[in-house]
Amino acid sequence: EHAFFSGLMSNVVTIAGIFGAFGLLRMHYPLVYSFNILEKNIPESALPEETYLGWMKVGFKVQTDEELAKALGLDSVMMLEFIQLAFAICIRIGGVGVCILCPLHFFFGEGGPEVPSLSKIGMGNVVIRHPWLYYIQALFVAYVCYTVKTLIYDAQEKFLVRRFKWLKTLPHPRSRTVLVEGIPDEFTCEDKIREFFGLALGSDVVEEVHTVKKTRALIGLVQYRDTALDQKSQAEFQLEKNEKRPEHYVVNVGQVPQKVDSIEFYTEEVRKTEEAIAAEYHRILEESQKVGGVNC
């Protein structure tokens, strides 16, 4: 019991301190904690009072309507909806547990005097093979499942309405873009994907189709080209600084190291790599017209 009340007092003091600190910071740093209010982005129905705890009052009564969603954004409003959903679940389940189960455990549990005082309102006070109290527990479990399922399904239904409305207000092409994953191997081709969605949704629905490509070789070439460009820039800087063309040794497997002009060497490397990049790019485009291959 001592540990329980110590934890309870610690939590109460911590919560009170957080509430007080937020109220104080909100009043003294409005640009950080009340920016939307200063910019008049909040509807009048959601404006808090100019007091230290004025935000609490409006927080419990605010309505997550379309006006507030337009002002704050759908994500912020859905966060408020989530808090309200959690609050409703706690009230419905906790209210029944405290008002019905706790008295039943305390008065009819038959746990005896050896049960600690705080355990008398819980299952610890119910003796094994109690004639009827475990049936009440089973009914409570069913009630919990039904309550949680009903509240979550209702919240999901309301969310979908707002979600679809929000999607329709997004600018093009964001409002019409769909990411498709887990495509079967026989459909890993832009033409096949277009054909599939055309049959499912209508031939005039799909504007563009783009698939992810396997570009490991192309990425390697681009990285090598960028490295060669960087080395060329360094060589040109050395020429400007020392007024002497820089040189370095090139070592090829099975050949004697050769001394080459750094600027000319890296210029030629950049030219050859860019040709290879162009060839690899066109190869990927051609291969992407076939099923599988470079298509992921």
Side-chain angles (χ1 to χ4, degrees):
E1 294 181 13
H2 178 73
F4 171 79
F5 285 108
S6 297
L8 179 63
M9 289 301 299
S10 299
N11 290 331
V12 170
V13 172
T14 301
I15 293 172
I18 292 173
F19 277 26
F22 178 76
L24 188 66
L25 292 171
R26 173 177 166 270
M27 298 296 294
H28 288 80
Y29 300 97
L31 286 177
V32 178
Y33 298 98
S34 303
F35 180 77
N36 286 324
I37 297 175
L38 296 178
E39 294 294 317
K40 298 181 179 179
N41 295 330
I42 306 297
E44 294 185 3
S45 60
L47 289 176
E49 299 176 358
E50 291 299 324
T51 60
Y52 285 104
L53 298 178
W55 57 274
M56 290 184 60
K57 183 178 179 181
V58 73
F60 282 104
K61 71 175 184 179
V62 65
Q63 299 293 327
T64 56
D65 52 16
E66 297 301 326
E67 186 179 9
L68 190 63
K70 184 177 180 181
L72 298 179
L74 184 62
D75 290 341
S76 298
V77 172
M78 287 297 101
M79 182 62 187
L80 295 176
E81 286 281 358
F82 174 76
I83 295 173
Q84 293 179 0
L85 171 63
F87 187 74
I89 292 175
C90 290
I91 289 296
R92 296 196 184 188
I93 296 176
V96 173
V98 171
C99 297
I100 297 179
L101 289 184
C102 288
L104 290 177
H105 295 159
F106 186 83
F107 291 107
F108 304 102
E110 303 176 359
E114 68 277 4
V115 178
S117 300
L118 290 177
S119 298
K120 287 185 177 296
I121 62 174
M123 285 293 294
N125 194 44
V126 181
V127 297
I128 299 176
R129 300 184 184 276
H130 193 282
W132 54 272
L133 201 48
Y134 285 101
Y135 294 102
I136 302 297
Q137 295 291 337
L139 292 176
F140 181 70
V141 171
Y143 168 76
V144 170
C145 295
Y146 173 79
T147 300
V148 173
K149 181 183 77 68
T150 302
L151 290 176
I152 291 179
Y153 279 25
D154 289 344
Q156 176 71 3
E157 185 176 353
K158 295 177 182 178
F159 165 73
L160 289 177
V161 174
R162 288 183 170 179
R163 177 72 174 178
F164 291 145
K165 185 176 181 180
W166 174 77
L167 287 173
K168 292 179 180 179
T169 59
L170 291 177
H172 178 75
R174 187 181 176 189
S175 60
R176 306 179 187 179
T177 302
V178 178
L179 175 64
V180 181
E181 298 179 324
I183 301 175
D185 294 339
E186 61 270 21
F187 286 96
T188 52
C189 171
E190 294 178 0
D191 291 338
K192 290 288 186 180
I193 296 174
R194 182 188 300 275
E195 179 183 353
F196 175 82
F197 281 99
L199 293 175
L201 305 176
S203 58
D204 57 341
V205 172
V206 182
E207 290 186 7
E208 298 180 19
V209 177
H210 300 280
T211 59
V212 177
K213 310 293 192 302
K214 299 175 183 177
T215 58
R216 179 177 298 180
L218 181 61
I219 292 175
L221 290 171
V222 171
Q223 291 175 344
Y224 181 78
R225 189 271 313 272
D226 293 341
T227 301
L229 284 172
D230 183 60
Q231 294 292 336
K232 178 186 174 185
S233 298
Q234 293 183 24
E236 291 172 344
F237 176 76
Q238 291 179 6
L239 172 62
E240 182 179 353
K241 180 180 179 180
N242 303 326
E243 297 183 354
K244 180 181 177 181
R245 296 188 69 85
E247 298 177 333
H248 70 280
Y249 283 96
V250 176
V251 179
N252 295 320
V253 179
Q255 298 182 4
V256 179
Q258 296 180 348
K259 197 174 195 179
V260 296
D261 183 283
S262 298
I263 296 178
E264 293 179 356
F265 175 80
Y266 288 117
T267 300
E268 180 64 17
E269 288 296 300
V270 170
R271 184 191 66 80
K272 293 191 296 184
T273 307
E274 287 183 342
E275 291 179 355
I277 289 174
E280 178 65 12
Y281 176 78
H282 290 297
R283 184 193 72 81
I284 292 175
L285 288 182
E286 292 179 0
E287 288 291 328
S288 66
Q289 303 302 318
K290 305 175 184 178
V291 175
V294 298
N295 297 312
C296 295

